[in-house]
Amino acid sequence: SRPASLEAERESLEAQLTAGVKYNHQLRHIEVRVYGNTALSTSYVVGSSTSPDGRTSTVNMRRTTVLIKEDGQWKEVHNHLSPVVLSQ
């Protein structure tokens, strides 16, 4: 299951880091389109994640983010990650 709020997502990530999970993620091919006070960003997340027992998994995800401009600052209001699946 996924966290239901940004606060729950933050707490989940902090618990993973405390448990020893290590992330080596980079954003690639970032594209942003602005529509007034709303922006849509697309990119790829690539890299690896390492669990506390040393197992490493490859990360290759497509990321879409919706932002709104509020009080002069951009704030993320939604993001979505989907695994990139290569056809064989």
Side-chain angles (χ1 to χ4, degrees):
S1 66
R2 300 284 303 171
S5 69
L6 287 177
E7 180 64 21
E9 188 173 346
R10 184 187 64 75
E11 289 173 1
S12 175
L13 180 57
E14 285 181 355
Q16 292 173 43
L17 294 173
T18 299
V21 175
K22 296 188 182 345
Y23 295 100
N24 179 18
H25 297 176
Q26 297 88 39
L27 289 178
R28 305 275 191 220
H29 306 289
I30 302 168
E31 293 185 21
V32 178
R33 299 217 176 184
V34 178
Y35 305 95
N37 287 340
T38 304
L40 177 65
S41 170
T42 58
S43 60
Y44 292 93
V45 180
V46 298
S48 63
S49 298
T50 305
S51 65
D53 66 5
R55 286 182 295 155
T56 299
S57 58
T58 300
V59 174
N60 193 4
M61 307 285 277
R62 175 82 170 150
R63 184 172 195 264
T64 303
T65 306
V66 178
L67 303 106
I68 60 168
K69 194 171 192 179
E70 191 173 86
D71 299 325
Q73 294 187 0
W74 288 102
K75 298 180 181 182
E76 182 178 292
V77 294
H78 177 75
N79 76 63
H80 176 80
L81 290 168
S82 297
V84 174
V85 179
L86 302 174
S87 61
Q88 297 191 21

